[in-house]
Amino acid sequence: MIALRRGFFEDTDRRRMIAASVTDPGWMEEVRRTSPGPYFLAAEAVLIYLEEELVRSVFRQIAERLPGARLALETAASRMVDTQDSHDVLAKVAARMRWSCDDPGALEHWQPGLSLTDSLTLAHLPAEVSHRLSLPYRALLRLMATIRRRDIEAYRFNLFRFPAE
């Protein structure tokens, strides 16, 4: 995946891509060794494909190794995970979602001091993001939010903050 991403993005002083399993604590040690922080981690289309215990393990490792980090990730509600095999698009994807999360706020109980700082859907994007989209795309999102509201709201974009040391 990282090789593909490198076709579009380059590493900079502020952004690095590491080819490693998210469950392997080695990448966190490398990040900590090469950067003093603060840390912003983006787990795009990663954690929803793991079993819940592995997701919890990733959260524990981040809390231990990268205190104060912020983690952006998406969550899929159980409705979405349970019906993926009959979904018009998801059924065609070889990878299967394993972890469902109906309430991202409930994850705050996974780690002392962990806080959900934002949770959005495509139906409720921040104004500064929405205004940058073309008018037809904004209209499509509004339409989808109306006719497939449960589906749109089943997929959330979340930002968590881990406690500092």
Side-chain angles (χ1 to χ4, degrees):
M1 211 53 221
I2 294 299
L4 177 63
R5 289 181 65 85
R6 289 195 190 285
F8 298 94
F9 305 103
E10 294 180 7
D11 285 349
T12 68
D13 290 342
R14 295 182 49 144
R15 179 187 63 225
R16 279 187 56 218
M17 294 174 279
I18 299 173
S21 170
V22 69
T23 61
D24 177 358
W27 71 265
M28 291 179 226
E29 294 302 327
E30 180 180 341
V31 167
R32 198 169 140 158
R33 187 177 61 252
T34 60
S35 173
Y39 306 107
F40 175 80
L41 311 169
E44 300 173 90
V46 174
L47 299 178
I48 59 176
Y49 294 97
L50 301 177
E51 297 292 339
E52 182 174 318
E53 187 47 46
L54 285 174
V55 178
R56 286 177 180 261
S57 173
V58 170
F59 271 68
R60 277 192 303 272
Q61 291 175 39
I62 292 171
E64 292 168 7
R65 292 175 171 85
L66 302 172
R70 290 181 185 234
L71 172 64
L73 70 147
E74 78 280 22
T75 52
S78 57
R79 176 183 187 285
M80 186 174 196
V81 174
D82 294 345
T83 62
Q84 67 185 314
D85 292 332
S86 61
H87 189 275
D88 55 344
V89 175
L90 296 175
K92 294 174 176 60
V93 177
R96 309 316 301 146
M97 291 183 281
R98 304 284 180 221
W99 173 54
S100 64
C101 176
D102 292 324
D103 176 12
L107 276 60
E108 291 178 326
H109 301 290
W110 285 9
Q111 292 293 317
L114 179 68
S115 62
L116 175 65
T117 60
D118 215 347
S119 185
L120 304 168
T121 69
L122 285 172
H124 299 98
L125 294 173
E128 61 271 14
V129 173
S130 181
H131 292 316
R132 292 174 53 196
L133 301 174
S134 68
L135 184 58
Y137 195 75
R138 287 195 311 257
L140 175 64
L141 286 177
R142 278 195 297 274
L143 176 65
M144 292 302 295
T146 301
I147 63 174
R148 295 198 65 175
R149 180 170 219 66
R150 289 181 67 207
D151 293 331
I152 294 291
E153 292 188 354
Y155 193 77
R156 302 193 69 82
F157 306 97
N158 309 283
L159 181 62
F160 287 91
R161 181 187 326 201
F162 287 82
E165 287 183 299

